[in-house]
Amino acid sequence: MTNTIDDLETAGAILVIGSNTTEAHPIIGLRIKKAVMRNDCRLIVAEPKHIRLCYYADRWLQHKPGTDVALLNGLMNVIIEEDLYDHEFVAERTEGFEELAELVKEYTPEKVSGITGVAADDIREAARTFAAADNAAICYAMGITQHTTGTDNVVSVANLSMLTGNVGRPGTGVNPLRGQNNVQGACDVGALPNVYTGYQSVTDPDIRKKFEEAWGVALPGKPGLTATEMMDAAAKGDIKAMYIVGENPMLSDPNLKHAGEALEKLDFLVVQDIFLTETAELADVILPSASFAEKEGTFTNTDRRVQRVRKAVESPGEAKPDAWIVSEISKRMGYEMPSLEPAEVMDEIAQVTPQYGGISHARLDEGVTIHWPCPDSESPGTPILHTKYFTRGKGWFCPVPYVEPAERPDEEYPLVLTTGRVLWQYHTGTMTRKSEGINELDPHGKVWISPADAERYGVENGVTAVVSTRRGDIEIEAMVTPRIQEGVIFVPFHYAESPANVLTNNVVDPVSKVPEYKVSAAKVKPA
Amino acid sequence: MDQIKVEIDGSEFTAPAGSTILEIARANGVYIPTLCYDPRLTPYGACRLCLVEVEGARALLPSCYARAEDGMKIQTTNEKLERIRKTLVELLVSDHPMECMGCEKSGRCELQELAQRYDITESGYAGEKHEYIEFSENPFVTRDYNKCIMCGRCIRICREVQGVGVYDFVNRGFEAVPGTPFERPMQETPCEFCGQCISTCPTGAIKARPYEGDGRVAARDILRNACAYFHMSEEEMTKALGLEEWKVRTTCAYCGCGCQLDLHVIDNRIVEVTSPLMEGAGQGNLCVKGRFGYDFVGSRERLTRPLIRKGKKFVETDWDTALDLVAKKLGGTKKKSGADSIAVLASARITNEENYLIQKFARAGIGTNNVDHCARL
Amino acid sequence: MGTSGHRYKVVLGYGTCGIAAGATGVRDALEEAEKAGGYDMDFDIAGCMGYCFIEPVVEVFDSEGGSVIYGDMTAKKVAQLLDEHIKSGKVIEDWVVRKSDQPEAGEGDFLANQHRVVLRNCGKINPESIEEYIEIGGYEAAKKALATMSPDEVIEEVSAAGIRGRGGAGFPTGTKWGFARKSPGDIKYLICNADEGDPGAFMDRSVLEGDPHTVIEGMILAGYAIGARQGYIYCRAEYPLALKRLDIALEECHRRGFLGEGIFGSDWDFDIRIKKGAGAFVCGEETAMMASIEGKRGMPNPRPPFPANQGLWGKPTNINNVETLAAIPWIIANGGAEYAKTGTEKSKGTKVFCLAGKVRRSGLAEVPMGYTLRQVIFDVGGGVQAGKEFKAVQMGGPSGGCLPAALLDTLVDYDAIIATGAIMGSGGMIVADDRTCMVDLARYFLSFTQEESCGKCTPCRIGTKRMLEILERICEGRGEPDDIDKLDELAADIKAASLCALGGTAPNPVLTTLKYFRNEYEDHILNHKCTAGVCPALITLHIDPETCIGCGACVKVCPTEAITGEKKQPHVIDVEACIRCKMCLSRCPEDSIIAE
């Protein structure tokens, strides 16, 4: 997030696009609701299905899955046509406006209405509302990123934000809501194939040299494979061994059949986890690790706030913290990492990571709230990014034309399948599905289907249906509901007994390598 | 005017314009008792304990509700106010089960605290008491309205913070009581089981069902009493006594909001999860997962020993054997097919420090940049 | 009153009170006769004329404008009325309540001693006809104000009248309008408080049923004055007839352009919506009423912020009682100075009271401010029933106080009444005679406020419950010596600490009865006696052998067969078996059963 969760409350308008915030980020959902209920914030929700935030929204733009770029271009078309954009901001802090204006010119509300299914007047009114607010924020999540056009979507969101001058002040910004407790932190500390900590490129010789010195060993200069590429490489036989820590690709990866085949093909698979996950079932060695409540450390949340994780209980049996396990393996492979306490590891991170330069356990334990970048121990952190200039100096408007999703409905698979989360469960259910109470309230997954489609395909509410795509099929209870639009079905991905990712398409965005979970062609029939 | 000056009990304080009298008092360490106040909610003015005397005002003003005005002269305590407060607490106690011995809220019950403050062991206004049946029809929330003091905090937090509105008052007069629509079980209402009502209930009327019967962290009572006796904050006292483990502040392991949690631990077991008021992303609010989703930590299904595949089965082994095998296999693969034939998946669930070490291991230990995690999934 | 060419016009008082007493049968009979023809008369209905003690009431106007009012009408009596009065022009003297040529004779002084401004049209015009209202000058005040007066001038006129809010608190209406007018904001609301809930009070209902257009015209004037374009009438659903007549009146106003966009051809928009209340007493409190209009549970909020600054939907809001609004058109038509001629120095104009209880002539009494209570109760109300003695009058319903005979010369004046510990209130006046137990009366009013407490604040919810429990045990003979002190203490804290006026005034009946009738409390507690013979636990019933005629009526109703006796011989009550339900007392034709 360029801004903080706290300052969402002060926004005059919020556009939530591709985020079922109250279910996937309930606490951020509360802040948005508070902004609306107490501070008269105008909320615009762009979302293919009816989510709870729609109840709080001034306007709900029910666009078709995969048409975000068209919708965003349509909003910008109105804002430029009606001269509602922030001239001063555009002139002083951005470049490329003319090119953007040229491109969005053709995205008239009428044309966009044809693509997205949203009424032209709704697009106009939403654009006016967003542009009229003194401070307007955009929140998005996987509904924006999990497309073959995910990068395009994100760029379009940024374009809209800059066009209206909503950058660098409280209540504004481009705010991706990160799905998992420490997905931000894992990225920050270099668990990515192309960068070291703090997004320092592995291909930059100077940076590589810095890390070689810090770690005392020569480092490879070629960027590695992303998670999805790893699976493809494993399937091809290029990757022969994998070490998987705390992840469950056998539920979370797209096209699970493909993922399963890839993992089966490996010569050697180590899985390190707290439970015997679907992925661990395929392992050669399983290493028991400590849960978050059994160790010290930090998580970095979605608004870049680095916060302490503290040990509350002892691990069961012989389960060990991941740090200990990986250090032991490394030692046995001939690279002995110094044996460090978590606080000391953080000090090492701070040394090699400019953004974390001033972060230490000691500071956090004093109760200081720190949002990175925090270059040194005097810095209070940076709650709001881009207050004066962007990372590259001026903000660059990158015009993005609308491109259709990779797989479109056809005669054989006439429906659009989109996947996502529900309030009760978390990711692959490794944790929540062990909770008795949660499972009493939410025992199993359901496919959402509109009344018209249910009738068309003979599916009944509360009765098991078969959902199929080119990748496979699953059996799952049908929930017939007007909350989903005709032609679209929704399946949450948490449930091992009805794994949505058997169905999803493992085609990825060319830049971010994020799979297109949000659009697949599918069909349903009664079981 | 941005700042105003007010006089409270003879001392002058400056505060932002628009502040309530209570906010100014609290910010400056002036004690005013409250029962229906929660900083997460809009003021309500029902319990009447926070009434104060304002010079020139026709009546006593609820300090939680009344906005301070520049030059206001406020008395937070005097004989009349204290008499009224005592009467109010006595009235509340007169319709409250005197079961503090068995009540899990004992020691952190706001009514109990006031009863102690006003030295009330039994009410001078004895009379009819309610005998409601306890509702525990769902896995998470138990409601015992015999202990309800009608502060409306559950109703308001559900409506104002959660935006849901599962509860409202039903009936009038002495019979008024919170309830769900037509007494439906909570799972038949739009309840999201966030437990915000539990977090705000000042007495034992609304409780977290999974944590019932676990008792409380014993140290907490002792600590509270000790804090009161020595005029120390809880934090100072825990540090002084080396008691860090009674309640552990940590960060939620679910979504990216990063809510702050207090894990309450007895006998190496998490017996309750709460969130510190007005701190972190949640400000004391949690969701169903954050508040109730932590039984997995103590689950019997947890992996407790390293396992090695033997055919279709896994057999338990010791760490040395397992680690040696892993090192040998990964080392062998690297030697045979090169470092880039190995891939490492780190995790969005584990700590920064661990992720750092894992990517360092991949790059420096194995020698490949094939390290990623499920950020995209 | 025109008779449109016919010799007579027959008008039936057709309000809820009349209907309850059987007016529908009378109406049907008269309508039938009119339809059948042969009688030189018009028939019409009107609202309540105020003669509750003798409903149903029919007024017969002759072509010269004279009239005769007949009471206790029945459908059966209609034929005789038609034959004798309409056909033969012969007044049926036995039934007469009032004759216009002898206005003070008989029961005539009930009206003669009144001064009707608010009730000026009640019982005179058909409330379901806007034409009749217009015919007597209705809506002229509104037209005049919109055409010739600025909003500030309207407020000045109301201020000059000196009228104070008739809902009970008595805040000067002009000042209140001024606050709402000055409060910044484009959107403002006006609310007519028609949530009349005091036991024994029915002024608002009678006005709404009898003259709805006056209230609407008052609202138009108020809306114009304060700058509100939307008005609400908050009326309880238990007033179906008032609601029906309001609906008709609003529809007629819309049709004529008196409400809606550009009313009376001006550029001022004003509309009125009705919000039906579910009969909660507390919804008469303005913050609770606004919560109820907003669709929330009717519970009060602390003030400030006051409605004039932050009211309905957070907008500046002005709330006026029905009676206040009904006086406004008269004030604008006749001038504030004219209105202010009536009344005392600080309480101007007239006040409508509902006489109820043990008074001989119960009904609607509108009197000038400055009358004494004695004048209201005795000159208008006719005093208590023969053979009984006046004991007290409860002013202002459950929020008010009980005043003894010694205070009967208190003036009808806001400040004079407050000085006694009672309040003017909305106008309930319940008369108690010597057979009324003052402890029991206080208990009754407190049980009402306790049941009607919204439950929000502690002192009102539990405090009044505990006070009630103390009163109950005193009435049951279980009173304890320190109970009076406890009542005093609780009452003081409840008054000081309650959130709204419901709780803040709930102890008043107890406090005033304690003040003026303390001996009755002491009798109950210390001597276990209820001198009024009311509290069952403290009385015994016996039959006066001197007067008992042995009719056996008491034997038939006694649920415990405690009464025995030969026919035509004095009967006897077995004190052991008697449960003191007093069924016998109410049946005895000779008043021979004595409770003491």
Side-chain angles (χ1 to χ4, degrees), chain A residues 171-224:
Chain A
T172 68
V174 174
N175 300 297
L177 311 180
R178 310 300 305 257
Q180 300 174 58
N181 56 330
N182 200 31
V183 65
Q184 183 68 53
C187 294
D188 295 345
V189 299
L192 292 171
N194 56 335
V195 291
Y196 301 114
T197 66
Y199 309 95
Q200 303 174 84
S201 175
V202 297
T203 56
D204 183 325
D206 292 340
I207 287 168
R208 194 162 64 241
K209 191 156 163 267
K210 176 173 101 175
F211 278 90
E212 284 174 342
E213 277 168 16
W215 294 346
V217 63
L219 296 172
K222 191 178 106 196

Side-chain angles (χ1 to χ4, degrees), chain C residues 109-130:
Chain C
D109 56 349
F110 177 71
L111 195 61
N113 286 318
Q114 298 195 33
H115 179 82
R116 288 191 160 186
V117 172
V118 167
L119 301 176
R120 62 197 180 279
N121 302 322
C122 287
K124 290 194 180 154
I125 60 169
N126 183 339
E128 297 179 17
S129 158
I130 194 170

Side-chain angles (χ1 to χ4, degrees), chain B residues 11 13 107 112 155 167 201 204 261 285-286 308 311 318 354:
Chain B
S11 308
F13 300 110
Q112 189 186 44
I155 296 171
Y167 308 115
C201 181
L261 302 182
N285 302 308
L286 289 173
I308 293 182
D318 57 73
E354 289 166 335

